[in-house]
Amino acid sequence: MSMFNVSRKEIDWGGRKLVLETGRIARQADGAVLASLGETTVLCTAVGEHSPRPGLDFFPLTVHYQEKTFAAGKIPGGFFKREGRPTEKETLVSRLIDRPIRPLFHKGYKNETQVICTVLCHDMENDPDIVAMIGASAALTISGLPFMGPIGAARVGYMDGKPVLNPTLDQVKESDLDLVVAGTKDGVLMVESEAQELPEEVMLDAVMFGHEAYQQVIDAIIDLAEMAAKDPREVPEPPPEAETVATKLREIATEGLTAAYAEPDKVERQKKVAAVKDEAKAAFEDDEAALALFGGAFKSLEADIVRGTILKTGQRIDGRDTKTVRPIEVEVGFLPRAHGSALFTRGETQAMVVATLGTGQDEQIIDALEGEFRQNFMLHYNFPPYSVGETGRMGGAGRREIGHGKLAWRAIRPLLPAKADFPYTMRVVSEITESNGSSSMATVCGSSLSLMDAGVPMPRSVAGIAMGLIKEGDDFAVLTDILGDEDHLGDMDFKVAGTSEGVTALQMDIKITSITKEIMDVALKQAKDGRIHILGEMGKALTGAREEVSGNAPRITTIKVNPSKVREVIGTGGKVIREITETTQTKIDIEDDGTIKIAATDADNAQRAVDWIKGIAADPEIGVVYTGKVVKVVEFGAFVNFLGSRDGLVHISELSKQRPQKVADVVNQGDMVKVKVLGFDDRGKVKLTMKQVDQETGADLSQSED
């Protein structure tokens, strides 16, 4: 008799086995599911506190996705041999799980809730992110928490002109698309993707393909819940006075709030809204129960007013119609010492973006479960508090900053040149200096401009735009280039980045489940028009990449040598290469296949290093004149060191026109001389001559005698 009461559901999903199991592990969590696809296994748990913390008007949900290195049979790299702070991947996947589940909790539920997904096994084929999303959905569905799911999730690739379900890690590298979609039976809630300039229709088809594909996963979770779900928890009904507060607030604040939202300037508008709020709050001062409900009621009144105005009149907060992009101002090269810089301003959103070019030694080494790899393009996004006129804590990058940076990274990466063609490491930093509406899309525009300003040969510019949606019943409006307030009060945040040719990144977060394919289609088409407009504005500052790399950036020269000579170029214990880099003030990267990259800020230094390396790695050629150093004088001639570590013998008869009495009459140890290669003796030793070369000019005298 086992002490475990295990419930298990197994399905064949796109040719792989998906297993959901509960009852064996983590039995004290409200919901715990061990999910596996292939042999990638993730333990997902969900726990909700039994009572809310008093006075909270938001839902405190945290999601943690964590990878254990034992999942890939490894011990953590670095000095501390235990997992440390979350990696970029862990942070991004935590966000990926959070985004589709957050809108599905009951509105009245405000208890602290935590979802933890731990990767226990990685089969090197199936990415654990999808498994974690499915497992988290299952754990919440059986937990008894008021979660209106379940959700399903799938990865979609695009190969040979058709969508592919859950491509393996190797397939993703070859695919034109890496898209993750999640949602419920009714509709899509979240999309995150990177694409190789694909048309809007292909992107939409891929989203719908994924939505279809995860329906059987949702069914499997429901089957598991029928076997193992806990009793649903009671959700507090809204208190009876909520209705009274809302009605009273509508009466006293509608007019003032409508007027406040007619103010197009953000700072002024915030002041006016705050004044209306304070005045309205005073009317409820004596009633404690009403004050507790005031914040929520005020938020929903704001939403009603802004949304109602847009649907009725097509007029937005700042006076625009639904399709107009705010005015754009673009400046490039405004920081004199930076390799590339751009200041991109759209309305009250501004990104100052700087590109820096480095060498192979600047690459980011990423220690992932799948193995270690190097990244030669980094994009870092920072959102300082002054950008919205506030004070705040300055620290490391938060989850949102990592997420926005990665979105911009995905948007730009498909346009970057191959490493073989452009051997630089590229780092872009985007500082958001003003913000009101999509700073991540301003970052895409600024990054594209700053990289081109630095001379990175991108074939086309990339621009991004954020779209919003307001939907009431069958009535809906898609908004181009949304403001911050429209983002909070709208039903969707839909970001599309791409070029004149197609989409490179699409990110969607939808707060309602009734988004149709038609609405997404309208949004994508409208976004395309917006993007083309922005690309036109960017073109006024810079139409293409500069002809050559910025003068402040290192110049990288690539040469190929015979792989068997790599050891000689490096020297014993790196002695030779160290001497070359120190003497010529260059940075040198050597690969095993004989590719050598020399980076220098000064062209002469680079040439000196190239000549030096070529000298070491080249084979002596008959009839070619070289400069060398006399290393040893013997009775029958002089040994001359030329071509790096090569020595050759100048026989006494080849020292000068008349044969000298003794060698020292012509040369001594340490002399610099010019020698020509005559040939090689039986043992491969080099025979040299000095008498056939003009010692002043290095001219070959034997040719002039003809």
Side-chain angles (χ1 to χ4, degrees):
M1 188 58 191
S2 165
M3 60 188 283
F4 301 123
N5 178 14
V6 178
S7 304
R8 192 163 187 266
K9 177 73 190 170
E10 183 179 312
I11 62 168
D12 180 313
W13 187 34
R16 265 164 266 178
K17 198 164 71 167
L18 174 71
V19 181
L20 302 173
E21 177 204 286
T22 185
R24 187 159 55 122
I25 299 177
R27 293 170 300 161
Q28 293 176 36
D30 289 325
V33 170
L34 191 65
S36 55
L37 182 62
E39 286 183 352
T40 293
T41 307
V42 185
L43 173 66
C44 303
T45 60
V47 176
E49 291 289 351
H50 281 274
S51 51
R53 274 206 309 243
L56 271 191
D57 66 344
F58 67 95
F59 170 40
L61 167 71
T62 49
V63 176
H64 296 279
Y65 163 88
Q66 46 179 8
E67 295 183 335
K68 299 294 174 186
T69 58
F70 62 68
K74 291 183 183 169
I75 291 172
F79 187 75
F80 289 102
K81 294 296 170 193
R82 72 182 292 164
E83 288 83 359
R85 49 179 253 205
T87 59
E88 183 183 75
K89 160 102 191 241
E90 287 172 321
T91 301
L92 291 166
V93 177
S94 299
R95 276 174 61 90
L96 209 54
I97 300 167
D98 182 310
R99 284 160 44 199
I101 65 177
R102 187 177 288 274
L104 293 177
F105 281 87
H106 188 287
K107 292 293 163 269
Y109 177 71
K110 299 272 189 278
N111 304 10
E112 188 145 341
T113 302
Q114 192 174 46
V115 173
I116 300 177
C117 301
T118 310
V119 180
L120 305 180
C121 212
H122 191 337
D123 63 10
M124 301 299 149
E125 278 190 17
N126 299 291
D127 195 315
D129 56 2
I130 296 292
V131 189
M133 289 170 87
I134 291 169
S137 165
L140 284 165
T141 304
I142 64 171
S143 67
L145 300 177
F147 173 70
M148 309 300 155
I151 61 158
R155 172 172 265 103
V156 181
Y158 190 74
M159 298 169 87
D160 306 323
K162 7 181 234 300
V164 180
L165 176 63
N166 292 330
T168 62
L169 290 173
D170 288 340
Q171 285 176 312
V172 168
K173 292 179 186 138
E174 306 301 312
S175 171
D176 287 337
L177 175 69
D178 179 6
L179 178 140
V180 174
V181 54
T184 59
K185 268 268 179 262
D186 304 330
V188 172
L189 284 172
M190 183 212 65
V191 174
E192 182 68 67
S193 63
E194 177 183 349
Q196 298 289 335
E197 297 183 280
L198 292 176
E200 277 71 5
E201 308 72 81
V202 171
M203 297 299 286
L204 187 52
D205 286 346
V207 170
M208 297 323 289
F209 172 83
H211 176 65
E212 280 301 305
Y214 62 60
Q215 295 306 322
Q216 58 179 131
V217 174
I218 292 178
D219 294 337
I221 294 174
I222 292 170
D223 289 350
L224 182 74
E226 282 171 356
M227 294 184 255
K230 303 225 166 94
D231 292 336
R233 287 199 199 173
E234 292 291 309
V235 178
E237 285 296 311
E241 52 267 37
E243 197 45 52
T244 12
V245 173
T247 314
K248 184 172 170 185
L249 187 60
R250 248 199 308 277
E251 285 163 13
I252 56 179
T254 301
E255 201 175 317
L257 211 46
T258 308
Y261 270 110
E263 167 59 61
D265 180 78
K266 179 186 171 186
V267 178
E268 280 305 306
R269 180 167 67 246
Q270 283 173 333
K271 280 185 195 158
K272 289 182 177 177
V273 170
V276 175
K277 189 173 185 174
D278 291 342
E279 197 181 321
K281 201 169 189 174
F284 295 95
E285 230 152 43
D286 316 326
D287 186 347
E288 274 210 5
L291 274 181
L293 298 165
F294 177 80
F298 193 81
K299 263 189 193 162
S300 65
L301 180 61
E302 282 184 286
D304 289 347
I305 288 172
V306 172
R307 295 165 62 97
T309 311
I310 293 173
L311 285 174
K312 281 202 287 287
T313 66
Q315 272 263 315
R316 290 158 69 178
I317 301 174
D318 57 1
R320 282 183 292 157
D321 64 16
T322 56
K323 293 189 171 148
T324 305
V325 178
R326 288 170 289 173
I328 290 173
E329 188 71 49
V330 181
E331 210 182 315
V332 289
F334 74 104
L335 294 176
R337 297 301 295 267
H339 299 167
S341 58
L343 186 66
F344 179 89
T345 315
R346 185 189 63 233
E348 296 159 321
T349 297
Q350 184 179 65
M352 179 174 72
V353 190
V354 185
T356 310
L357 302 179
T359 65
Q361 292 165 17
D362 299 314
E363 286 181 338
Q364 168 88 55
I365 300 172
I366 296 173
D367 192 11
L369 284 187
E370 301 84 71
E372 199 178 87
F373 62 95
R374 288 169 177 269
Q375 198 67 68
N376 72 329
F377 171 50
M378 294 160 266
L379 195 152
H380 298 143
Y381 164 104
N382 298 307
F383 191 91
Y386 65 75
S387 65
V388 285
E390 290 173 6
T391 56
R393 209 182 120 262
M394 295 287 285
R399 280 188 170 193
R400 186 175 163 279
E401 289 179 297
I402 290 172
H404 280 9
K406 190 67 174 186
L407 173 58
W409 181 90
R410 288 192 177 106
I412 296 284
R413 189 172 75 139
L415 273 294
L416 293 176
K419 199 161 144 183
D421 305 331
F422 190 72
Y424 291 86
T425 297
M426 296 160 273
R427 177 181 184 233
V428 171
V429 179
S430 172
E431 292 289 328
I432 302 305
T433 45
E434 288 182 38
S435 177
N436 179 15
S438 192
S439 53
S440 61
M441 295 296 97
T443 296
V444 171
C445 302
S447 300
S448 166
L449 288 160
S450 69
L451 285 164
M452 287 184 161
D453 184 47
V456 176
M458 291 169 64
R460 288 176 284 286
S461 303
V462 186
I465 190 157
M467 310 297 288
L469 172 77
I470 287 173
K471 183 171 189 286
E472 298 285 351
D474 293 335
D475 210 5
F476 73 92
V478 172
L479 312 180
T480 295
D481 178 24
I482 52 176
L483 300 170
D485 290 342
E486 292 171 335
D487 186 0
H488 306 309
L489 306 173
D491 298 318
M492 162 174 96
D493 176 10
F494 188 108
K495 294 175 179 149
V496 191
T499 64
S500 52
E501 301 300 302
V503 176
T504 55
L506 167 65
Q507 183 183 76
M508 276 199 294
D509 285 298
I510 299 167
K511 300 169 198 169
I512 54 176
T513 54
S514 49
I515 293 270
T516 59
K517 185 176 178 180
E518 287 68 31
I519 294 177
M520 287 196 274
D521 192 33
V522 170
L524 276 165
K525 290 198 170 89
Q526 202 168 311
K528 183 178 184 180
D529 296 341
R531 177 172 88 237
I532 300 298
H533 167 75
I534 295 172
L535 286 167
E537 294 297 304
M538 287 162 61
K540 292 177 183 172
L542 202 57
T543 47
R546 302 214 181 276
E547 284 304 299
E548 51 179 42
V549 171
S550 156
N552 297 321
R555 294 300 165 109
I556 298 184
T557 315
T558 306
I559 57 172
K560 284 285 276 190
V561 302
N562 186 331
S564 64
K565 300 283 189 199
V566 165
R567 273 174 51 198
E568 289 175 40
V569 177
I570 294 171
T572 339
K575 190 168 137 238
V576 177
I577 198 74
R578 230 179 3 259
E579 188 188 352
I580 302 177
T581 52
E582 282 164 17
T583 314
T584 61
Q585 293 179 320
T586 54
K587 274 187 180 177
I588 299 174
D589 286 328
I590 302 182
E591 287 166 33
D592 295 341
D593 68 352
T595 304
I596 299 183
K597 292 175 190 156
I598 298 139
T601 34
D602 176 81
D604 294 348
N605 283 343
Q607 197 49 52
R608 281 167 60 208
V610 169
D611 293 345
W612 194 329
I613 292 172
K614 279 188 171 162
I616 298 171
D619 284 315
E621 291 178 54
I622 292 180
V624 175
V625 174
Y626 297 97
T627 301
K629 185 180 185 180
V630 178
V631 284
K632 194 174 175 197
V633 174
V634 289
E635 271 180 39
F636 53 86
F639 284 101
V640 175
N641 176 230
F642 70 108
L643 260 192
S645 55
R646 284 276 165 180
D647 286 348
L649 173 68
V650 182
H651 190 264
I652 191 163
S653 62
E654 292 292 340
L655 281 171
S656 56
K657 284 264 187 277
Q658 285 79 36
R659 183 176 173 135
Q661 286 292 297
K662 51 185 206 294
V663 178
D665 293 348
V666 185
V667 289
N668 287 300
Q669 194 170 338
D671 287 358
M672 296 303 287
V673 294
K674 297 198 166 48
V675 292
K676 183 173 106 172
V677 179
L678 283 175
F680 308 95
D681 69 13
D682 320 340
R683 291 174 306 172
K685 297 269 189 285
V686 187
K687 295 193 287 195
L688 301 171
T689 174
M690 272 170 62
K691 72 178 184 190
Q692 291 185 22
V693 184
D694 183 322
Q695 291 299 314
E696 290 299 310
T697 65
D700 188 340
L701 300 174
S702 62
Q703 289 171 351
S704 53
E705 286 166 7
D706 295 345

